[in-house]
Amino acid sequence: MERAKLDWSNLAFQYVKTDYHLEYYFKDGKWSEANIVESDRVELHIAATALHYGQQCFEGLKAFERADGRVSVFRVDENAKRMKRSAEKILMEPFPEDKFIEAVFKVVQLNRRFVPPYGSGASLYVRPLLIGTSGVIGVKPSTEYMFLIFVMPVGPYFKGGLKPIRLLVEEEIDRAAPLGVGDVKVGGNYAAGLRASHKAKSLGYNEVLYLDAKHKKYIDESGPANFFGITQDNKYVTPASSSILPSITNMSLRTLAEEELGMKVEQRPIDVEEIFDFKEAGCCGTAAVITPVKSIKYRDREVTYLQGDEVGPVCRKLYDTLTGIQLGTVEDKYGWNFEIPMD
């Protein structure tokens, strides 16, 4: 295999065109087989429900090269389940879970030369997308759909990798309503957060920390990521909320905190005032894995957990364990990795 000529150790988290993507079409009650496409453009009806009524959902996961050259993808079965749930909540035709896993394997195999080499700190990001394609004017679900999946080699989500960030508690802008679609991965949730993120960055912070829309009291998510805190008595606490996307990374970290670090794990409503009692805090998700939180500003008070670019011991241990499992340097006793056969 001749690997793509890229500066692997200095990749940003941004779009890079690769060789192929896959498209599947739902029409007349059934899904087609994969169509292998070289272009990175799609053609849509001007009245497609994805464009007008937000009938679209997506996923994000990563494939990694190991020291022995094998390639694996992390917890792809959970992404398949989550996309099915997202589709059903906005009345789209779900893409079958077995075909989802098959599509992930196939698109990685087709773009093998773009899988970053082991030790580079980069990974192959996989983006599945499901969209309504019927031309409809009048709010109702599409009858035809397209599932497409593409990949791109990426570096860390936050520039600098595992470096602490500053958060600003947001009280004026809501990301999602309690009984809405905040718990599924649809584009509207991210569009709703753009103003808040832009505001925070303009004030010198890296991201926002949302409060729940109903009470304006409990922590929800942090920008595009789940949030967790480490208490003084060494508990891993993370918000329980119907407005939060169930993060596969967070789910994995809860397991590791309990099973590997011997911590008590609590998923519960977290009063925003608790931030002043944590000894560590972090944001987590597929793109960033873990991003330690340096400080959080809430109204006229700011709590600081870390000095300089240091990383707290719990965040460091969780990060090293999870990434070690993904890269094959730590035993995968949970069966989270799926090896992708390569010819």
Side-chain angles (χ1 to χ4, degrees), residues 190-253:
Y190 297 84
L194 289 174
R195 288 180 302 149
S197 291
H198 180 77
K199 170 185 167 184
K201 290 170 184 175
S202 71
L203 294 172
Y205 298 88
N206 300 92
E207 258 302 346
V208 298
L209 184 60
Y210 289 105
L211 299 182
D212 73 291
K214 185 175 182 179
H215 303 97
K216 291 293 186 181
K217 178 181 180 182
Y218 301 104
I219 294 172
D220 259 10
E221 287 198 315
S222 171
N226 272 201
F227 176 85
F228 65 88
I230 307 300
T231 65
Q232 295 295 335
D233 56 354
N234 220 36
K235 294 176 183 175
Y236 179 105
V237 296
T238 192
S241 167
S242 61
S243 300
I244 292 176
L245 180 72
S247 163
I248 296 166
T249 303
N250 195 351
M251 179 168 60
S252 305
L253 292 174

Side-chain angles (χ1 to χ4, degrees), residues 74-89:
F74 186 71
R75 305 200 77 170
V76 61
D77 55 334
E78 293 295 337
N79 291 97
K81 292 174 188 175
R82 192 169 67 179
M83 178 169 253
K84 180 175 183 289
R85 184 169 172 270
S86 295
E88 290 173 340
K89 191 154 190 179

Side-chain angles (χ1 to χ4, degrees), residues 275-308:
I275 63 174
F276 298 103
D277 299 324
F278 293 148
K279 63 179 182 180
E280 290 183 48
C283 304
C284 60
T286 297
V289 187
I290 289 178
T291 300
V293 173
K294 181 186 184 73
S295 65
I296 304 176
K297 175 73 178 296
Y298 175 51
R299 295 181 177 173
D300 60 349
R301 293 185 290 166
E302 186 162 2
V303 56
T304 299
Y305 306 111
L306 303 169
Q307 301 299 323

Side-chain angles (χ1 to χ4, degrees), residues 139-209:
V139 184
K140 58 184 178 181
S142 179
T143 58
E144 298 181 359
Y145 295 90
M146 178 194 295
F147 173 83
L148 61 88
I149 184 167
F150 61 96
V151 298
M152 54 190 173
V154 297
Y157 185 79
F158 288 106
K159 190 175 181 180
L162 194 65
K163 286 189 177 180
I165 62 171
R166 300 174 67 218
L167 299 180
L168 175 67
V169 175
E170 175 56 58
E171 296 185 86
E172 298 176 353
I173 299 171
D174 295 326
R175 172 190 163 271
L179 300 178
V181 293
D183 61 332
V184 292
K185 202 168 179 67
V186 296
N189 294 335
Y190 297 84
L194 289 174
R195 288 180 302 149
S197 291
H198 180 77
K199 170 185 167 184
K201 290 170 184 175
S202 71
L203 294 172
Y205 298 88
N206 300 92
E207 258 302 346
V208 298
L209 184 60

